């Protein structure tokens, strides 16, 4: 993890709720019998996206490591939370979810969930993060962040930024950007990144804060221009692109982070086994190479660090959503 992420994880250890990851699931098999059947790895988005790619990177090798089959099951919708709901309400403990920041740190503060994000699921293993990138069309007049901000100041509300939907990381990154720079942008939500990027390249909207996995092919293809990455450090896929902080915009950090969550109450030994096996497979050269293809950064966390990170990210987004009075329909 980058330095800022690690500080957040370590600094929030004291905030951990005592109820997390405690107790036993009624009627579940003993820890030593797990898994006693195939395991589902739930994904809250459609096949082919970043979350799905993360899940399949893990599932391909996790099954043999656990001595069973791990099947990826997509359950898209409601800011990736439908997949979490399946795990929260599972009765046998054989469903995991490839959690994403949208579902586990943003959505709980914007929508009413059918489960409790703190009591019903538990963070087990951090998988990685893909930074968001401030991009404009290759034909846009802006070559730097400073040029874009200067133009936005001249004409408040004229520039439109696209997102994959209300409450997405792109939307929240835009809110952060407005707050930090003091400019006013117009948010245009789409039903997914694909149509948003089509309109961005076509000039119907002027900028986006989409994830690197979504925009990298278009950047390499010459259709989009990257002005800055929204992570604390530069990304190896775009080494010549500055961070927002380097470009003069402070306190705006946005990455779509991923981690595996289980139903709360699963035996600690089962959680630890999943944590250890996933970290082993993510350390393999072929896994790291696969993650790098879509700009993912993996720096291992202990389970306690991941739980603390979960708490810190929820506080960060809850505070922003309250400050900015962000609401979604």
């Amino acid at each position: 993890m980058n330095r800022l992420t690690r500080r957040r994880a370590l600094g929030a250890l004291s905030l951990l709720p005592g109820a997390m990851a405690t107790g036993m699931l009624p009627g579940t098999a003993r820890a030593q019998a797990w898994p006693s059947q195939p395991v589902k790895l739930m994904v809250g988005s459609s096949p082919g996206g970043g979350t799905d790619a993360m899940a399949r990177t893990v599932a391909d090798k996790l099954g043999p490591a656990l001595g069973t089959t791990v099947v990826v099951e997509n359950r898209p919708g409601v800011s990736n939370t439908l997949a979490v709901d399946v795990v929260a309400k599972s009765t046998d403990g054989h469903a995991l979810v490839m959690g994403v920041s949208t579902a586990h740190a943003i959505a709980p503060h914007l929508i009413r969930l059918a489960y409790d994000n703190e009591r019903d699921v538990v963070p087990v293993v951090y998988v990685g993060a893909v930074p968001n990138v401030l991009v404009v069309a290759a034909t846009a007049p802006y070559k730097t962040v400073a040029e874009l901000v200067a133009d936005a100041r001249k004409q408040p509300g004229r520039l439109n930024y696209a997102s994959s939907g209300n409450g997405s990381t792109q939307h929240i990154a835009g809110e952060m950007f407005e707050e930090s720079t003091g400019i006013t942008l117009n948010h245009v939500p789409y039903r997914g990144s694909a149509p948003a990027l089509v309109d961005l390249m076509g000039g119907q909207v002027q900028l986006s804060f989409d994830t690197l996995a979504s925009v990298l092919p278009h950047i390499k293809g010459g259709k989009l221009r990257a002005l800055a990455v929204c992570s604390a450090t530069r990304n190896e896929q775009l080494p010549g692109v500055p961070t927002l902080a380097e470009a003069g915009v402070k306190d705006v950090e946005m990455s779509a982070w991923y981690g595996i969550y289980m139903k709360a109450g699963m035996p600690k030994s089962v959680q630890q086994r999943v944590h250890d096996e996933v970290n082993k497979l993510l350390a393999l050269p072929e896994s790291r190479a696969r993650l790098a293809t879509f700009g993912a950064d993996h720096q291992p966390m202990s389970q306690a660090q991941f739980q603390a990170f979960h708490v810190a990210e929820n506080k960060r987004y809850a505070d922003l959503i309250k400050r900015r009075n962000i609401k979604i329909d």
Side-chain angles (χ1 to χ4, degrees):
M1 75 191 82
N2 59 50
R3 291 188 297 274
L4 183 55
T5 298
R6 186 173 294 277
R7 286 201 300 273
R8 284 195 184 124
L10 294 176
L13 278 169
S14 61
L15 301 176
L16 282 172
M20 291 182 78
T22 59
M24 289 289 291
L25 279 174
T28 54
R30 293 182 180 276
Q32 58 266 33
W34 191 94
S36 59
Q37 62 188 60
V39 172
K40 290 181 180 179
L41 181 54
M42 305 300 301
V43 174
S45 58
S46 301
T51 311
D52 184 72
M54 283 285 194
R56 294 181 191 280
T57 298
V58 170
D60 288 349
K61 294 182 172 60
L62 184 58
L66 295 177
T68 189
T69 301
V70 175
V71 180
V72 173
E73 183 174 315
N74 298 83
R75 194 70 63 91
V78 195
S79 297
N80 299 94
T81 62
L82 294 183
V84 187
D85 187 64
V86 171
V87 174
K89 295 176 179 176
S90 65
T91 57
D92 58 26
H94 284 78
L96 315 175
V97 62
M98 180 56 73
V100 61
S101 48
T102 305
H104 290 283
I106 298 174
H109 312 292
L110 287 171
I111 61 178
R112 179 172 293 182
L113 301 174
Y115 58 90
D116 191 298
N117 189 52
E118 303 305 323
R119 291 199 298 266
D120 294 339
V121 292
V122 58
V124 174
V125 54
Y126 175 80
V127 174
V130 177
N132 290 58
V133 185
L134 171 51
V135 290
V136 297
T139 55
Y142 315 115
K143 301 296 193 297
T144 66
V145 174
E147 291 175 355
L148 186 151
V149 171
D151 193 31
R153 284 204 174 105
K154 291 176 185 174
Q155 304 180 74
R158 187 186 71 84
L159 297 187
N160 301 313
Y161 76 95
S163 81
S164 63
N166 286 313
S168 63
T169 60
Q170 300 99 307
H171 175 199
I172 302 302
E175 295 279 352
M176 288 182 178
F177 191 75
E178 286 184 90
E179 183 177 66
S180 179
T181 59
I183 63 175
T184 300
L185 301 171
N186 183 39
H187 174 225
V188 182
Y190 288 78
R191 295 178 65 86
S193 286
L197 293 177
V198 167
D199 275 6
L200 176 61
M201 290 182 284
Q204 283 77 25
V205 291
Q206 287 70 52
L207 64 149
S208 181
F209 300 87
D210 214 325
T211 60
L212 181 57
S214 295
V215 300
L216 188 59
H218 303 296
I219 294 170
K220 290 185 174 180
K223 299 292 186 180
L224 292 178
R225 178 183 302 130
L227 299 186
V229 292
C230 303
S231 49
T233 58
R234 295 194 183 199
N235 189 275
E236 63 180 18
Q237 293 285 351
L238 298 172
V241 178
T243 66
L244 276 173
E246 290 173 330
V249 180
K250 307 298 183 183
D251 302 319
V252 178
E253 184 186 347
M254 177 60 73
S255 293
W257 54 259
Y258 304 86
I260 291 177
Y261 286 67
M262 301 181 75
K263 184 176 179 70
M266 288 297 290
K268 187 64 179 177
S269 58
V270 170
Q271 296 180 37
Q272 190 65 47
R273 184 181 179 196
V274 172
H275 175 275
D276 292 348
E277 294 297 347
V278 171
N279 273 321
K280 285 178 188 176
L281 70 89
L282 289 176
L284 296 173
E286 57 266 37
S287 296
R288 298 186 74 87
R290 187 170 177 182
L291 292 178
T293 60
F294 43 91
D297 172 60
H298 170 69
Q299 298 293 334
M301 295 186 193
S302 68
Q303 187 180 7
Q305 286 173 330
F306 182 35
Q307 290 172 330
F309 178 67
H310 166 96
V311 172
E313 287 289 273
N314 270 270
K315 183 178 187 307
R316 181 166 77 108
Y317 290 122
D319 289 348
L320 175 75
I321 288 165
K322 183 177 180 180
R323 276 197 319 271
R324 299 285 295 175
N325 193 30
I326 302 171
K327 300 183 185 300
I328 60 175
D329 297 329

